[in-house]
Amino acid sequence: MKRNAYSLSLLLASTFLVLSACNSEQDAQMPVAEIIEVDIDIPESSPANETLSIPVQVTQGEEPVDDARDVVIEIWEYQDRENGSLEEAELQSDGIYQIEHEFGTDGIYLVQAHVTARDMHSMPTKPIIIGDVSEDDINAFNEAGGASSEEQGESNHHH
């Protein structure tokens, strides 16, 4: 009886190892898609009441992504996200999507790109100082964590 239990245990362990090895081989053979990279190309500061081009470059590896499903740019004044705006960016060329935006008042703003492409989602955020902002306000913003205090900064999700 003990011999049968031992044989059964050995058989189960062997089967488990074989199945585990098969799974590992399958995982190794499945290509892993490179994540999409999203870069918001804005200056650190800009005057108020001027129209600013906000380009967002989307790449995957070295390849520009011209087939993104959604590229939406959200802009809000720091600590006032509920009064922000969302605008769909248009493809210009070579993975560059862009909007034009006029920042009407002085302040620290956050620009976040919401990009869905190739079954992935990325939401990087960058700050921009518009017009005259006091050093105290800039220091308070930075001490509070900057863009990451209100949003996670950059995140990538694979779906």
Side-chain angles (χ1 to χ4, degrees), residues 27-119:
D27 290 345
Q29 292 172 1
M30 290 181 64
V32 176
E34 289 187 62
I35 63 169
I36 58 170
E37 298 289 332
V38 178
D39 180 45
I40 303 168
D41 188 17
I42 56 174
E44 289 183 18
S45 62
S46 183
N49 299 311
E50 284 192 13
T51 300
L52 186 65
S53 293
I54 301 176
V56 173
Q57 183 167 28
V58 183
T59 56
Q60 186 176 35
E62 298 294 317
E63 178 187 339
V65 174
D66 289 342
D67 60 350
R69 192 170 61 211
D70 284 312
V71 179
V72 176
I73 298 175
E74 182 178 9
I75 299 171
W76 69 95
E77 192 167 1
Y78 179 59
Q79 296 183 326
D80 191 20
R81 190 168 188 170
E82 58 275 358
N83 290 313
S85 66
L86 286 166
E87 191 170 337
E88 191 164 334
E90 292 188 22
L91 176 64
Q92 303 302 302
S93 66
D94 298 325
I96 296 174
Y97 298 79
Q98 184 172 300
I99 66 165
E100 305 291 319
H101 185 81
E102 183 176 327
F103 294 89
T105 59
D106 297 347
I108 299 172
Y109 288 81
L110 294 167
V111 177
Q112 183 174 48
H114 300 268
V115 178
T116 303
R118 301 180 181 176
D119 295 327

Side-chain angles (χ1 to χ4, degrees), residues 10-12 19-20 54 58 78 98 101 110 130 139 146 156:
L10 191 58
L11 178 65
L12 289 174
L19 290 175
S20 294
I54 301 176
V58 183
Y78 179 59
Q98 184 172 300
H101 185 81
L110 294 167
I130 299 298
N139 289 336
N156 287 294

Side-chain angles (χ1 to χ4, degrees), residues 14-30:
S14 298
T15 303
F16 176 74
L17 287 173
V18 168
L19 290 175
S20 294
C22 290
N23 253 354
S24 296
E25 287 175 24
Q26 284 178 339
D27 290 345
Q29 292 172 1
M30 290 181 64

